[in-house]
Amino acid sequence: MQTAHNKIIYHFKRVMSIILRILQDKYLCFTKIFDRTAFKKQFLFLKGNKMKTSDFYYDLPKELIAQTPLEPRDSSRLLVLDREKQTLEHKHFYDIIDYLNEGDLLVANDSRVLPARIYGIKDETGAKVEFLLLKQVANNRWETLCKPGKKAKVGTKFSFGNGILRATVVDVKDDGNRIVDFDCEENFFTTLDKIGQMPLPPYITAELKDKERYQTVYSHELGSAAAPTAGLHFTTELMDRIKAKGVKIAYVTLHVGLGTFRPVKVDDVTKHKMHSEHYEVPEETAKLINETKKNGGRVIAVGTTSCRTLESVAAMYGEIKPCEGFTDIFIYPGFEFKVLDGLITNFHLPESTLIMLVSAFAGYDFIMNAYKEAVKEKYRFFSFGDAMFCLLYTSPSPRDMRRS
C-alpha cells in the first residue's frame, strides 16, 4: 500500500513539474535568469511575431574556438542547466554520472565519420583538386564537392594516393556538386581509410593527428560527413560506470550531412529549409525508450542528431517505433517535444539551427544567458569544445521512490 502511495506522489510531482515548465516557457512567470531585452524578444515571439535569425547571435572571441580535442575525452568542462530550477552549474564531463538516475536512458548516435576529404591529381595537367564525398549514389559512385570545381568537368579523370584510387567525373548537378565514379583494386572504404582525411569543419584549422579523436568511442555505422560531437566526450570507462549505476544506453543512427555546416541565410527563422539526412531506429532502441517512459525514467539524447531522430519519429508516427527513413525536421522555439527529458550537447555556432534547437528545448532566454555565462567563464566552443547538459527537471529515480 505504501509503495502504491509513493508512486502516486512521484507521478503527481512529474505532472506538476511539466505544468510549471509550460508556464515558464509560455508566460515566463518563473524565469530567474533573463534580461529585459531577451524578455521582450520572447514575449513578442509568443504573441505571434516570428523570431529572427539575428536573435540567436552572440559574441564569441576567436580564441574560445577549440582547435584540438582534450585528453582524456571526459576531462572537458560541463555546464549543467536545470530548466525547472533555472540554475547553472560548472562541472566537468566526468561529473555527468552524478546527474543520471537509475532507470534513465541515454540515446546516442552511433554513426561513424567517413575520412571523406581526398586530394586528386588531374590526369591532363597534374592540377591538384580537393574532393569531399557527400553521398553514396550507387556502389562506387558518389556525389562530391570539388574545389576548384572548374577543374572537374564531365569526363575529367583523376588519380589519388599514387594511383591506388582513380576517378572519373560523370555529371555536374545544378548546385555544382559532381557525380564521380571511383575505381580501385581493394574495397573502396579500405582504400578511403588509407588516403582520406577527416572532413573537419572550416573553423578548425589545426591538424588532427589522430583520426579516431573525431570519432565517438561507440561509432559503428559508417556514413557521416561530420561527427555527432556531443558523444566525443564519452570514454569507454565512463560509459561502464554509467551502466553500472543502472542507466541504460541505446543507439540510433543518423548520418550527419554537409548541411550541418551551412548557415541560415534567411532573416525569418521559419523560412529556413533543412537538409535531409538518413536515420534508423533499431527495434531494441524503440523498446528501451518505450519501457523507460512507461517506468517513469528519463530519456536523454546524446547530441542534437539523436534528438532530431527521436523527435522526427515521434512527430511522424505519434510514437517511437523501429523504422528508418530521411528527416529534414527543423526544431526551433515553439516546437513541442514529445520524447526528450534531457539533452547533452556542445556549444554551437551563433545563428545556427543547432542553437535554435537547444533554445527550443531549454528556453530561449535561459540558453542565450547560459551562452553568455560560458563565454564569460572561457568555455571551449564548437566540435572539439566543452559540453552542456540540459535537464527539463530533476527527480529521484523510480528505485529511490520505491525505497522511501
Side-chain angles (χ1 to χ4, degrees), residues 335-354:
F335 180 84
E336 182 180 350
F337 288 84
K338 296 179 175 62
V339 183
L340 262 60
D341 301 298
L343 175 65
I344 301 167
T345 187
N346 279 19
F347 292 92
H348 303 294
L349 275 70
E351 300 183 339
S352 65
T353 61
L354 301 182

Side-chain angles (χ1 to χ4, degrees), residues 323-338:
C323 59
E324 66 174 305
F326 288 85
T327 179
D328 59 358
I329 190 171
F330 180 22
I331 298 176
Y332 54 88
F335 180 84
E336 182 180 350
F337 288 84
K338 296 179 175 62

Side-chain angles (χ1 to χ4, degrees), residues 257-304:
L258 187 67
T260 191
F261 300 129
R262 288 176 179 157
V264 178
K265 295 182 178 180
V266 293
D267 189 45
D268 182 349
V269 167
T270 63
K271 302 298 184 183
H272 178 69
K273 301 298 181 184
M274 291 287 288
H275 57 285
S276 181
E277 296 166 317
H278 184 263
Y279 71 86
E280 181 177 357
V281 179
E283 183 175 355
E284 179 63 19
T285 296
K287 179 181 176 182
L288 285 171
I289 291 171
N290 291 324
E291 287 179 351
T292 300
K293 287 292 188 181
K294 181 180 178 181
N295 295 331
R298 298 176 299 178
V299 175
I300 298 166
V302 179
T304 57

Side-chain angles (χ1 to χ4, degrees), residues 182-244:
F182 290 95
D183 180 54
C184 53
E185 292 185 3
E186 289 187 290
N187 174 275
F188 175 77
F189 293 104
T190 301
T191 303
L192 189 64
D193 195 52
K194 290 180 179 179
I195 64 174
Q197 298 180 16
M198 283 298 173
L200 296 178
Y203 48 76
I204 294 178
T205 57
E207 180 185 356
L208 180 64
K209 296 180 180 179
D210 181 4
K211 289 182 181 180
E212 285 302 310
R213 286 304 276 109
Y214 196 56
Q215 306 279 16
T216 62
V217 296
Y218 49 78
S219 63
H220 179 68
E221 300 293 334
L222 195 63
S224 277
T229 55
L232 296 178
H233 304 282
F234 285 91
T235 64
T236 52
E237 294 77 13
L238 177 59
M239 295 180 76
D240 288 341
R241 289 173 54 214
I242 288 171
K243 292 175 184 176

Side-chain angles (χ1 to χ4, degrees), residues 61 75 100 337 350 356 371 395:
S75 64
L100 301 174
F337 288 84
M356 294 174 190
Y371 268 68
S395 64

Side-chain angles (χ1 to χ4, degrees), residues 111-227:
S111 182
R112 188 167 175 81
V113 184
L114 281 166
R117 180 172 279 116
I118 54 178
Y119 294 90
I121 302 299
K122 188 175 179 179
D123 282 3
E124 296 176 357
T125 63
K128 187 177 182 180
V129 176
E130 175 187 315
F131 288 70
L132 183 62
L133 307 184
L134 302 178
K135 182 170 63 177
Q136 188 175 21
V137 178
N139 296 323
N140 287 351
R141 175 169 289 190
W142 286 77
E143 180 179 343
T144 68
L145 179 65
C146 298
K147 293 181 181 180
K150 63 182 180 180
K151 296 184 182 296
K153 298 178 181 179
V154 173
T156 310
K157 297 181 183 296
F158 296 85
S159 63
F160 306 80
N162 295 320
I164 66 172
L165 178 67
R166 294 191 57 77
T168 303
V169 179
V170 297
D171 193 15
V172 179
K173 298 185 65 178
D174 292 340
D175 59 5
N177 291 345
R178 268 58 176 173
I179 303 300
V180 180
D181 281 347
F182 290 95
D183 180 54
C184 53
E185 292 185 3
E186 289 187 290
N187 174 275
F188 175 77
F189 293 104
T190 301
T191 303
L192 189 64
D193 195 52
K194 290 180 179 179
I195 64 174
Q197 298 180 16
M198 283 298 173
L200 296 178
Y203 48 76
I204 294 178
T205 57
E207 180 185 356
L208 180 64
K209 296 180 180 179
D210 181 4
K211 289 182 181 180
E212 285 302 310
R213 286 304 276 109
Y214 196 56
Q215 306 279 16
T216 62
V217 296
Y218 49 78
S219 63
H220 179 68
E221 300 293 334
L222 195 63
S224 277

